Amino acid sequence: MRDNDELIAFTELGSEIDLRFYGVAFVLRPDGSTARELGNPKRAVNLRSILKLVRGSLLCERLSIKASDVLPEHAVLVGSHDGLEIHRDAVAGLARLLQVDASDARCPLGPPQNPLEALRLSLDGSGPDLLRHQCLGEHLGVLRMCRDFGGSYDYASLNHEVHTAVFDLVNSLGMVASVPVLDRCGMPTLVLPAIGIARTLSRLLAEDRSGFMTIQNAIAAYPQHYAGPGRFSTKLSEYSGGRVLAKESASGGFIAWNRNLGDVILAFCSSGEHAASESAMIALMRAEGWIGSDFGESTCGGQLVRSVL
C-alpha cells in the first residue's frame, strides 16, 4: 500500500472488519473532471492489459477492419481470456487472419487461465498449449504490426518502433509522462498515473476512432471470447447489451466505460485483489446509474466484498 491509497473495499467476519483493501477509484467525465474519488488518481499503476485496447485499435485502423465486420477473432485480439476451446479456436483463426505464426510469439507456455480448464487438460494428459494463453491474441497483433513496419520480430525491446507508436499515442491522449517496462509475458508496457490510463480511454471514445469502434463492437458481440463465462467484463457486457464495457488487468485493476455517456470508471487495488477492485467498480457503476442492484456482488474466498463507496 502507498501513502496516498485509501480504503476501497473490505470483508467482514461476524460484526468485525476482516480484510481491508486499499487503492484508488474514481469516475472520469468527458470534460476531464473527476468525481467520486478515493485515493489519488495520479498514483502510478501498471495496468498492462488495458493497453491491449490501444494496440488493437491501432491494428484495426491499419488493416481497415470495419466496425460492422467484427469476428470472434477481433475479441481475442484484445482479450484476457480463459483459454477454453472457443478461445483456442478464435486465436488460431486470428493467426490465420493476420498471416502470422504463433510460434514467433514471446508469451510463455503454461496452463490456461481458467483453473477448471487447466485441471481438465492436466487430467487428460495434455501438455502446455500456446494457443490457450490469455494474451496470445495481443502478441499476434504485435507480430502483424512488426511485419507491416518491416522491423524485427524481437518485440520484447522497449524501443521497438511498434511500441513507440503505442506509447506515444498513450502519452499524448493521457497527457502524462510514462515509464516503459517489460511485463511477465514478454510484452513492453507502461507505468503511468491512473488518471492517464482513464484519459487515454476517454479520448479514444471522444475522438470516435474507427479502430476503437471496431474493438468495442467485437467485445460487445463476443463477450465470451473476450474473457469467459462468469468473468466480470463478460457479465457486464451481457448485462448492458454492450452499452457498458470493461477491461481487467492482472495487476488488480479494472477500467470500464459507458459508450453512450463517454464516462470512464477506474478502480485499482494495491494488493492485486481483483475482487476489491470489482466491488469498487460495481459500487461506482450503481451510483452512476449504469447498472442496477440485480447485477450481483463480488466475493473473495467465499466472503462478500463490500465497497466503502
Side-chain angles (χ1 to χ4, degrees):
M1 184 185 76
R2 298 193 179 183
D3 291 340
N4 55 4
D5 287 339
E6 290 188 25
L7 183 69
I8 62 171
F10 60 92
T11 63
E12 293 177 316
L13 189 59
S15 59
E16 301 293 326
I17 292 180
D18 183 22
L19 301 174
R20 292 174 170 84
F21 303 102
Y22 296 85
V24 59
F26 59 88
V27 180
L28 179 68
R29 307 292 187 204
D31 64 4
S33 63
T34 58
R36 306 184 192 275
E37 287 183 22
L38 283 177
N40 183 1
K42 295 181 180 179
R43 182 204 197 283
V45 296
N46 180 357
L47 302 181
R48 198 275 285 177
S49 288
I50 295 171
L51 289 188
K52 292 180 181 180
L53 300 171
V54 180
R55 287 193 171 99
S57 298
L58 287 175
L59 180 62
C60 287
E61 289 177 7
R62 289 186 63 85
L63 299 181
S64 300
I65 300 173
K66 296 180 180 179
S68 58
D69 296 336
V70 294
L71 301 168
E73 287 81 354
H74 302 130
V76 296
L77 172 66
V78 296
S80 301
H81 57 75
D82 278 351
L84 306 178
E85 286 297 325
I86 62 168
H87 303 122
R88 188 187 190 283
D89 292 344
V91 170
L94 179 63
R96 291 191 294 270
L97 280 177
L98 298 181
Q99 300 178 329
V100 295
D101 189 340
S103 65
D104 290 327
R106 298 294 298 266
C107 51
L109 280 172
Q113 186 167 227
N114 183 290
L116 293 179
E117 184 69 2
L119 177 61
R120 183 187 72 81
L121 293 171
S122 176
L123 293 175
D124 287 347
S126 301
D129 184 353
L130 183 62
L131 293 177
R132 294 183 185 274
H133 193 284
Q134 68 266 24
C135 296
L136 182 58
E138 178 189 27
H139 286 253
L140 295 178
V142 170
L143 285 172
R144 175 56 192 255
M145 293 181 75
C146 288
R147 197 188 81 177
D148 289 354
F149 273 97
S152 165
Y153 275 15
D154 184 19
Y155 58 82
S157 169
L158 298 178
N159 298 318
H160 196 292
E161 57 187 323
V162 166
H163 306 307
T164 299
V166 173
F167 295 167
D168 286 349
L169 179 61
V170 171
N171 290 336
S172 173
L173 295 179
M175 296 181 287
V176 292
S178 60
V179 178
V181 296
L182 194 65
D183 80 351
R184 64 185 182 181
C185 288
M187 181 68 73
T189 184
L190 295 174
V191 174
L192 72 165
I195 189 67
I197 288 279
R199 281 193 197 125
T200 297
L201 194 55
S202 177
R203 293 186 66 187
L204 283 174
L205 283 166
E207 293 179 5
D208 200 24
R209 296 179 70 112
S210 61
F212 191 48
M213 181 61 70
T214 297
I215 291 302
Q216 292 181 91
N217 284 0
I219 296 171
Y222 303 102
Q224 298 280 346
H225 290 80
Y226 178 58
R231 296 271 295 278
F232 177 74
S233 53
T234 298
K235 291 189 297 182
L236 186 59
S237 179
E238 292 174 339
Y239 177 92
S240 67
R243 175 179 54 87
V244 180
L245 303 177
K247 184 66 182 163
E248 66 181 281
S249 174
S251 57
F254 282 96
I255 196 165
W257 63 101
N258 189 308
R259 301 177 71 182
N260 293 347
L261 301 176
D263 289 348
V264 175
I265 295 176
L266 183 144
F268 174 78
C269 175
S270 57
S271 64
E273 179 53 64
H274 282 95
S277 300
E278 186 177 306
S279 178
M281 293 292 291
I282 291 171
L284 285 171
M285 286 190 289
R286 283 186 182 143
E288 291 292 306
W290 295 12
I291 60 173
S293 59
D294 59 333
F295 180 75
E297 306 294 342
S298 181
T299 60
C300 176
Q303 292 180 290
L304 179 66
V305 181
R306 301 183 183 278
S307 173
V308 302
L309 293 155

